[in-house]
Amino acid sequence: MKLGKTNLEVNKNGFGALPIQRRNYAESIEILKTAYDNGIDFYDTARFYTDSESKLGCAFEDVRENIYIASKTGMESVEEFWRDLETSLKELKTDYLDLYQFHNISFCPKEEDDLYKAMIKAKQEGKINHIGITTHKITIAHEALDSGLYETLQYPFSYLSGAEELQLVEKCRQLDVGFIAMKAMGGGLLKQSKTSYAYINQFDNVLPIWGIQRLSELEEFLSYPNDLLLDDETKKIIENDKKELGDNFCRGCGYCMPCPEDINISLCARMSLWIRRFPTEPNLDEKTQEIMKKTLDCIECYECVDNCPYELDIPELLKENYDDYMDVLEGRTII
């Protein structure tokens, strides 16, 4: 597929390199090389993803010209922007990035802003080839598109998405802006990769970056044919998942954190979903019980709500999830 006005021709399966920071070097390199050997050529990482860039650099130093590397910076000052860019180039063992993206920063840099001017200068110096932006906020997404300054938009998109997200995809098509779909598996709440693949495959202007941390996950996506589309079975799965999850659920993006009371919000605010959807996972062990008890320390300062791109009532979600969790733990509800 063509990634918007970048004109980059990329494999429809993009590789989201956030999860490999959770694996050791040997396992990560094996996963990355397997992806490359099977035709995946777009790899998305970020300075924020600890050692992810370093692992990509080790895996692909000898084949750099055969792949596209996208990275990101969350810095909002010019000095920090340059520091991040130089560090990313060093870690990735390359002298240029195919795509550099502003990483979920609090505003959309405009043409007159020093931060955007720094991005242009980096492009003029040959350190980056294309300019993009990532966000979880629909208002910033539209602002970026309306500015005409960005060649790609990275935004959450899955079969749980609603009308607003679908309109955003269409707007990107009309403006020839490449749409990169993050959280195509619903931030981990979706386990039917075939259904997710078939859904995304309907949109020829959407590049999913599947978050891969196991070879088995990679092999699932590689096994699906390029022309896989929704059928009655996968449509039924989507219908059931949307009914179960609704609209008011935590996507696990983590932008609500850190919490001043050290509550693990992105885990605790969706624990009710985890224990019902994935009952075989160890969510009732002593460690998780202690994590859930921390939700009782919530002082309702609403800092998390101010930072939530989905405007969720997080203190209320924490209460509901704790009550549901205790019901399951104490046998009042059977999963």
PDB file of all heavy atoms in Angstrom, residues 22-39:
ATOM      1  N   ARG A  22       9.942  -5.470  26.062  1.00  0.00           N
ATOM      2  CA  ARG A  22       9.689  -6.407  27.161  1.00  0.00           C
ATOM      3  C   ARG A  22      10.420  -7.735  26.970  1.00  0.00           C
ATOM      4  O   ARG A  22      10.340  -8.621  27.806  1.00  0.00           O
ATOM      5  CB  ARG A  22       8.187  -6.659  27.293  1.00  0.00           C
ATOM      6  CG  ARG A  22       7.363  -5.386  27.414  1.00  0.00           C
ATOM      7  CD  ARG A  22       5.882  -5.699  27.584  1.00  0.00           C
ATOM      8  NE  ARG A  22       5.076  -4.484  27.444  1.00  0.00           N
ATOM      9  CZ  ARG A  22       4.116  -4.319  26.551  1.00  0.00           C
ATOM     10  NH1 ARG A  22       3.823  -5.315  25.714  1.00  0.00           N
ATOM     11  NH2 ARG A  22       3.443  -3.194  26.482  1.00  0.00           N
ATOM     12  N   ARG A  23      11.091  -7.899  25.826  1.00  0.00           N
ATOM     13  CA  ARG A  23      11.818  -9.130  25.551  1.00  0.00           C
ATOM     14  C   ARG A  23      13.317  -8.863  25.585  1.00  0.00           C
ATOM     15  O   ARG A  23      13.767  -7.733  25.403  1.00  0.00           O
ATOM     16  CB  ARG A  23      11.430  -9.695  24.165  1.00  0.00           C
ATOM     17  CG  ARG A  23       9.950  -9.861  23.941  1.00  0.00           C
ATOM     18  CD  ARG A  23       9.274 -10.712  25.012  1.00  0.00           C
ATOM     19  NE  ARG A  23       9.775 -12.060  25.058  1.00  0.00           N
ATOM     20  CZ  ARG A  23       9.269 -13.072  24.353  1.00  0.00           C
ATOM     21  NH1 ARG A  23       8.264 -12.866  23.523  1.00  0.00           N
ATOM     22  NH2 ARG A  23       9.770 -14.297  24.461  1.00  0.00           N
ATOM     23  N   ASN A  24      14.113  -9.938  25.785  1.00  0.00           N
ATOM     24  CA  ASN A  24      15.559  -9.741  25.793  1.00  0.00           C
ATOM     25  C   ASN A  24      16.070  -9.544  24.365  1.00  0.00           C
ATOM     26  O   ASN A  24      15.315  -9.687  23.397  1.00  0.00           O
ATOM     27  CB  ASN A  24      16.270 -10.893  26.500  1.00  0.00           C
ATOM     28  CG  ASN A  24      16.086 -12.234  25.799  1.00  0.00           C
ATOM     29  OD1 ASN A  24      16.080 -12.308  24.564  1.00  0.00           O
ATOM     30  ND2 ASN A  24      15.927 -13.294  26.567  1.00  0.00           N
ATOM     31  N   TYR A  25      17.353  -9.236  24.240  1.00  0.00           N
ATOM     32  CA  TYR A  25      17.898  -8.905  22.927  1.00  0.00           C
ATOM     33  C   TYR A  25      17.798 -10.067  21.948  1.00  0.00           C
ATOM     34  O   TYR A  25      17.390  -9.889  20.794  1.00  0.00           O
ATOM     35  CB  TYR A  25      19.353  -8.438  23.060  1.00  0.00           C
ATOM     36  CG  TYR A  25      19.480  -6.942  23.066  1.00  0.00           C
ATOM     37  CD1 TYR A  25      19.249  -6.220  24.238  1.00  0.00           C
ATOM     38  CD2 TYR A  25      19.801  -6.231  21.923  1.00  0.00           C
ATOM     39  CE1 TYR A  25      19.339  -4.837  24.261  1.00  0.00           C
ATOM     40  CE2 TYR A  25      19.895  -4.849  21.929  1.00  0.00           C
ATOM     41  CZ  TYR A  25      19.678  -4.158  23.106  1.00  0.00           C
ATOM     42  OH  TYR A  25      19.753  -2.786  23.113  1.00  0.00           O
ATOM     43  N   ALA A  26      18.155 -11.262  22.389  1.00  0.00           N
ATOM     44  CA  ALA A  26      18.159 -12.410  21.483  1.00  0.00           C
ATOM     45  C   ALA A  26      16.753 -12.689  20.954  1.00  0.00           C
ATOM     46  O   ALA A  26      16.560 -12.918  19.742  1.00  0.00           O
ATOM     47  CB  ALA A  26      18.710 -13.639  22.193  1.00  0.00           C
ATOM     48  N   GLU A  27      15.759 -12.676  21.843  1.00  0.00           N
ATOM     49  CA  GLU A  27      14.380 -12.928  21.419  1.00  0.00           C
ATOM     50  C   GLU A  27      13.881 -11.822  20.491  1.00  0.00           C
ATOM     51  O   GLU A  27      13.209 -12.089  19.488  1.00  0.00           O
ATOM     52  CB  GLU A  27      13.482 -13.016  22.652  1.00  0.00           C
ATOM     53  CG  GLU A  27      13.768 -14.222  23.536  1.00  0.00           C
ATOM     54  CD  GLU A  27      13.101 -14.123  24.892  1.00  0.00           C
ATOM     55  OE1 GLU A  27      12.786 -13.002  25.338  1.00  0.00           O
ATOM     56  OE2 GLU A  27      12.911 -15.172  25.528  1.00  0.00           O
ATOM     57  N   SER A  28      14.212 -10.578  20.815  1.00  0.00           N
ATOM     58  CA  SER A  28      13.769  -9.447  19.994  1.00  0.00           C
ATOM     59  C   SER A  28      14.360  -9.507  18.595  1.00  0.00           C
ATOM     60  O   SER A  28      13.659  -9.297  17.598  1.00  0.00           O
ATOM     61  CB  SER A  28      14.159  -8.131  20.669  1.00  0.00           C
ATOM     62  OG  SER A  28      13.521  -7.990  21.921  1.00  0.00           O
ATOM     63  N   ILE A  29      15.650  -9.794  18.521  1.00  0.00           N
ATOM     64  CA  ILE A  29      16.315  -9.867  17.214  1.00  0.00           C
ATOM     65  C   ILE A  29      15.709 -10.980  16.368  1.00  0.00           C
ATOM     66  O   ILE A  29      15.491 -10.819  15.155  1.00  0.00           O
ATOM     67  CB  ILE A  29      17.831 -10.088  17.383  1.00  0.00           C
ATOM     68  CG1 ILE A  29      18.458  -8.936  18.170  1.00  0.00           C
ATOM     69  CG2 ILE A  29      18.505 -10.233  16.018  1.00  0.00           C
ATOM     70  CD1 ILE A  29      18.264  -7.572  17.593  1.00  0.00           C
ATOM     71  N   GLU A  30      15.403 -12.113  17.000  1.00  0.00           N
ATOM     72  CA  GLU A  30      14.790 -13.227  16.268  1.00  0.00           C
ATOM     73  C   GLU A  30      13.433 -12.820  15.691  1.00  0.00           C
ATOM     74  O   GLU A  30      13.128 -13.111  14.528  1.00  0.00           O
ATOM     75  CB  GLU A  30      14.625 -14.434  17.186  1.00  0.00           C
ATOM     76  CG  GLU A  30      14.028 -15.648  16.482  1.00  0.00           C
ATOM     77  CD  GLU A  30      13.789 -16.827  17.414  1.00  0.00           C
ATOM     78  OE1 GLU A  30      13.861 -16.640  18.654  1.00  0.00           O
ATOM     79  OE2 GLU A  30      13.515 -17.929  16.905  1.00  0.00           O
ATOM     80  N   ILE A  31      12.624 -12.137  16.496  1.00  0.00           N
ATOM     81  CA  ILE A  31      11.310 -11.694  16.036  1.00  0.00           C
ATOM     82  C   ILE A  31      11.452 -10.706  14.879  1.00  0.00           C
ATOM     83  O   ILE A  31      10.775 -10.822  13.846  1.00  0.00           O
ATOM     84  CB  ILE A  31      10.527 -11.049  17.204  1.00  0.00           C
ATOM     85  CG1 ILE A  31      10.163 -12.116  18.245  1.00  0.00           C
ATOM     86  CG2 ILE A  31       9.262 -10.369  16.683  1.00  0.00           C
ATOM     87  CD1 ILE A  31       9.611 -11.539  19.543  1.00  0.00           C
ATOM     88  N   LEU A  32      12.352  -9.733  15.034  1.00  0.00           N
ATOM     89  CA  LEU A  32      12.525  -8.706  14.006  1.00  0.00           C
ATOM     90  C   LEU A  32      13.041  -9.291  12.696  1.00  0.00           C
ATOM     91  O   LEU A  32      12.551  -8.946  11.614  1.00  0.00           O
ATOM     92  CB  LEU A  32      13.481  -7.629  14.523  1.00  0.00           C
ATOM     93  CG  LEU A  32      12.924  -6.738  15.646  1.00  0.00           C
ATOM     94  CD1 LEU A  32      14.038  -5.939  16.297  1.00  0.00           C
ATOM     95  CD2 LEU A  32      11.842  -5.804  15.106  1.00  0.00           C
ATOM     96  N   LYS A  33      14.005 -10.184  12.793  1.00  0.00           N
ATOM     97  CA  LYS A  33      14.559 -10.782  11.572  1.00  0.00           C
ATOM     98  C   LYS A  33      13.527 -11.674  10.880  1.00  0.00           C
ATOM     99  O   LYS A  33      13.474 -11.744   9.643  1.00  0.00           O
ATOM    100  CB  LYS A  33      15.838 -11.555  11.897  1.00  0.00           C
ATOM    101  CG  LYS A  33      17.042 -10.647  12.166  1.00  0.00           C
ATOM    102  CD  LYS A  33      18.312 -11.450  12.342  1.00  0.00           C
ATOM    103  CE  LYS A  33      19.522 -10.547  12.516  1.00  0.00           C
ATOM    104  NZ  LYS A  33      19.811  -9.743  11.301  1.00  0.00           N
ATOM    105  N   THR A  34      12.691 -12.341  11.662  1.00  0.00           N
ATOM    106  CA  THR A  34      11.632 -13.158  11.080  1.00  0.00           C
ATOM    107  C   THR A  34      10.626 -12.277  10.338  1.00  0.00           C
ATOM    108  O   THR A  34      10.165 -12.617   9.246  1.00  0.00           O
ATOM    109  CB  THR A  34      10.914 -13.979  12.160  1.00  0.00           C
ATOM    110  OG1 THR A  34      11.858 -14.818  12.835  1.00  0.00           O
ATOM    111  CG2 THR A  34       9.820 -14.850  11.546  1.00  0.00           C
ATOM    112  N   ALA A  35      10.298 -11.141  10.945  1.00  0.00           N
ATOM    113  CA  ALA A  35       9.398 -10.192  10.286  1.00  0.00           C
ATOM    114  C   ALA A  35      10.001  -9.722   8.965  1.00  0.00           C
ATOM    115  O   ALA A  35       9.320  -9.697   7.924  1.00  0.00           O
ATOM    116  CB  ALA A  35       9.124  -9.003  11.204  1.00  0.00           C
ATOM    117  N   TYR A  36      11.263  -9.369   8.982  1.00  0.00           N
ATOM    118  CA  TYR A  36      11.941  -8.896   7.767  1.00  0.00           C
ATOM    119  C   TYR A  36      11.979  -9.992   6.695  1.00  0.00           C
ATOM    120  O   TYR A  36      11.695  -9.733   5.521  1.00  0.00           O
ATOM    121  CB  TYR A  36      13.357  -8.453   8.112  1.00  0.00           C
ATOM    122  CG  TYR A  36      14.194  -8.110   6.905  1.00  0.00           C
ATOM    123  CD1 TYR A  36      14.028  -6.895   6.244  1.00  0.00           C
ATOM    124  CD2 TYR A  36      15.135  -9.014   6.409  1.00  0.00           C
ATOM    125  CE1 TYR A  36      14.790  -6.581   5.115  1.00  0.00           C
ATOM    126  CE2 TYR A  36      15.897  -8.711   5.293  1.00  0.00           C
ATOM    127  CZ  TYR A  36      15.720  -7.496   4.648  1.00  0.00           C
ATOM    128  OH  TYR A  36      16.466  -7.198   3.537  1.00  0.00           O
ATOM    129  N   ASP A  37      12.313 -11.205   7.107  1.00  0.00           N
ATOM    130  CA  ASP A  37      12.404 -12.317   6.156  1.00  0.00           C
ATOM    131  C   ASP A  37      11.065 -12.638   5.503  1.00  0.00           C
ATOM    132  O   ASP A  37      11.016 -13.250   4.427  1.00  0.00           O
ATOM    133  CB  ASP A  37      12.939 -13.574   6.852  1.00  0.00           C
ATOM    134  CG  ASP A  37      14.414 -13.457   7.223  1.00  0.00           C
ATOM    135  OD1 ASP A  37      15.103 -12.595   6.650  1.00  0.00           O
ATOM    136  OD2 ASP A  37      14.861 -14.222   8.100  1.00  0.00           O
ATOM    137  N   ASN A  38       9.985 -12.200   6.152  1.00  0.00           N
ATOM    138  CA  ASN A  38       8.649 -12.467   5.611  1.00  0.00           C
ATOM    139  C   ASN A  38       8.006 -11.221   4.992  1.00  0.00           C
ATOM    140  O   ASN A  38       6.787 -11.175   4.808  1.00  0.00           O
ATOM    141  CB  ASN A  38       7.752 -13.031   6.708  1.00  0.00           C
ATOM    142  CG  ASN A  38       8.046 -14.494   7.003  1.00  0.00           C
ATOM    143  OD1 ASN A  38       7.517 -15.384   6.338  1.00  0.00           O
ATOM    144  ND2 ASN A  38       8.915 -14.749   7.978  1.00  0.00           N
ATOM    145  N   GLY A  39       8.835 -10.247   4.659  1.00  0.00           N
ATOM    146  CA  GLY A  39       8.357  -9.131   3.853  1.00  0.00           C
ATOM    147  C   GLY A  39       7.886  -7.895   4.578  1.00  0.00           C
ATOM    148  O   GLY A  39       7.517  -6.901   3.939  1.00  0.00           O
TER     149      GLY A  39
END
